Amino acid sequence: MDYKDYLTIISPPERVNDKIRLFKRACGNSIGKFPGMYAKAHISFDIIRDSIDKHSKTPLTLKPFYELVDFKIRTIPAHELKINGFDFFCHGPNFRTIYAALEMNEDTENWFRTVKQALRINRKLKPHITITRKISTEFFNVLWPYFQNTEYQDSFEAESLLILEKESGNPFNHYKEYKKLPFAKK
């Protein structure tokens, strides 16, 4: 059986994607190519994979799971997400990820918590839009002063979740749209 990986994301509108693309291109001009340089702007939730039941040896596909999630997501109202500046993650002493930061007020935190519950995600989540993913601290030190001194504010309505799928195990496979799950209209 061919297994599939599923990535759940919020895809911002094209104008936000265009702005993030410009930031990524400017980074590439300074440090060269980096992981995710050509990826579209998105907020990711989780990657999950089809599996096999250990006892019956039958495939456990995720399609029924997404049918249930679809029902739940349609009850959650769409929500305005605000981008406010930049921040970074540390991956140990040698790597950093620079991202566009989402403004996390109480309403937005509660909204993300509700979406996580619908997706059955238990781990901690820091919603963000990645600019550079896991670059060396050397490259980070070149780029971060620019981001520290750059203002970026924008907002957009999160109208749906997008479920992407790809064949597991082949690093050259790319995600393709599997299903769009709309949030409830306000």
Side-chain angles (χ1 to χ4, degrees), residues 45-167:
F45 283 88
D46 214 356
I47 297 175
I48 53 179
R49 175 175 288 161
D50 286 338
S51 61
I52 292 210
D53 183 277
K54 293 177 190 175
H55 303 292
S56 68
K57 304 291 186 211
T58 57
L60 299 173
T61 65
L62 291 167
K63 295 187 190 254
F65 169 73
Y66 285 118
E67 295 304 319
L68 176 64
V69 168
D70 187 359
F71 176 76
K72 289 182 178 183
I73 292 299
R74 288 175 187 273
T75 67
I76 301 170
H79 187 77
E80 182 182 26
L81 299 177
K82 295 178 182 173
I83 300 168
N84 190 6
F86 302 95
D87 206 344
F88 64 92
F89 294 123
C90 293
H91 306 282
N94 300 321
F95 297 98
R96 305 284 183 270
T97 292
I98 298 173
Y99 60 88
L102 294 179
E103 197 172 285
M104 296 301 288
N105 59 33
E106 187 176 346
D107 284 344
T108 300
E109 285 179 7
N110 288 336
W111 185 81
F112 272 107
R113 189 174 305 114
T114 303
V115 173
K116 278 177 46 180
Q117 288 170 344
L119 293 169
R120 297 184 180 174
I121 296 173
N122 296 322
R123 67 180 177 80
K124 191 174 178 178
L125 185 69
K126 174 77 173 168
H128 65 280
I129 301 173
T130 301
I131 308 289
T132 64
R133 182 171 51 88
K134 209 169 182 183
I135 58 172
S136 70
T137 51
E138 178 186 346
F139 288 156
F140 171 80
N141 291 335
V142 169
L143 297 175
W144 185 242
Y146 167 78
F147 285 100
Q148 264 185 312
N149 296 313
T150 300
E151 285 191 29
Y152 176 41
Q153 294 185 326
D154 205 339
S155 65
F156 63 94
E157 190 83 4
E159 297 175 345
S160 64
L161 285 179
L162 190 58
I163 312 301
L164 306 175
E165 74 174 353
K166 73 174 183 172
E167 296 294 323

